[in-house]
Amino acid sequence: MVDRWTRVDTYYSHGFLVPLISIFLVWLNKEKLFKIKAQPDGLGWVFFISGILIHAVSALWQVSFTSGFSLLLVIAGLVLLFLGREHLRQLAFPILFLVFMLPLPLVAIANISFKLKIFAAQISTILINKLGVPAIREGSIIKTAHSYLIVEDPCSGIRSLIAMIALGALMAYFLNTSRLKKGILFLSSVPIAIGSNVIRII
């Protein structure tokens, strides 16, 4: 994961912050956690062993994403084994939040990035014409009468999309309201990220 976080033009430079944020969320709930009586649950072995097996197979086949995902199962298993179900319920979000530090497979990144940059170029071209600047789109290239703009992969908006989804999840967690409103806030991070990228291109 660190290798993907530190690569040039990485989409996951925020990966270093995610575990720190999860630890901070646990610290915020420390008083509530200390009041819960530990009731070790043998079900934790299912999570723990499943995580270890997934990691072993992933390491054998060199599949980094599933290897990283296995870490979440191992942590959940350890919480169950040593503390119990109520602790796991309270720690569910901090553990699940760690998914935002797991880099998606490069094939998935390339596919999503391509679709996003074409979509962003298409919407931007429509809006530029609406603003009175004649423009046409050829693939990811936006052409005007005197210039052209290439919407490359770094301009696809995938970096801001990944970061905004993580931020949206965090904000929804802290929002003291209904689950419906939390869900709306979380889902709104997607159009906000895409929309802000379109505005930047325009």
Side-chain angles (χ1 to χ4, degrees), residues 46-101:
V46 176
F47 288 86
F48 182 79
I49 294 173
S50 297
I52 295 297
L53 289 175
I54 291 172
H55 172 66
V57 173
S58 300
L60 182 64
W61 291 94
Q62 296 183 341
V63 182
S64 301
F65 178 73
T66 51
S67 178
F69 180 75
S70 68
L71 179 64
L72 277 63
L73 292 176
V74 169
I75 293 173
L78 290 173
V79 171
L80 273 174
L81 284 171
F82 288 98
L83 299 173
R85 297 189 183 189
E86 184 59 26
H87 280 86
L88 181 60
R89 191 178 71 82
Q90 294 294 331
L91 295 171
F93 183 81
I95 294 173
L96 290 174
F97 189 75
L98 293 174
V99 77
F100 293 113
M101 73 177 182

Side-chain angles (χ1 to χ4, degrees), residues 1 15 109 171 188 197:
M1 285 190 288
I109 288 290
M171 291 181 67
S188 67
N197 188 50

Side-chain angles (χ1 to χ4, degrees), residues 1-2 5 11-27 68 71-72 75 91-104 159 161-170 173-174:
M1 285 190 288
V2 172
W5 295 346
Y11 299 113
Y12 284 90
S13 56
H14 64 275
F16 290 102
L17 291 175
V18 174
L20 297 178
I21 293 172
S22 289
I23 292 171
F24 176 69
L25 294 177
V26 174
W27 181 80
L71 179 64
L72 277 63
I75 293 173
L91 295 171
F93 183 81
I95 294 173
L96 290 174
F97 189 75
L98 293 174
V99 77
F100 293 113
M101 73 177 182
L102 308 180
L104 288 170
R159 181 181 284 107
L161 178 62
I162 293 171
M164 281 294 291
I165 291 174
L167 184 60
L170 194 61
Y173 174 75
F174 281 112

Side-chain angles (χ1 to χ4, degrees), residues 99-117:
V99 77
F100 293 113
M101 73 177 182
L102 308 180
L104 288 170
L106 291 173
V107 174
I109 288 290
N111 189 33
I112 296 170
S113 181
F114 175 77
K115 290 180 179 179
L116 280 175
K117 74 178 183 180

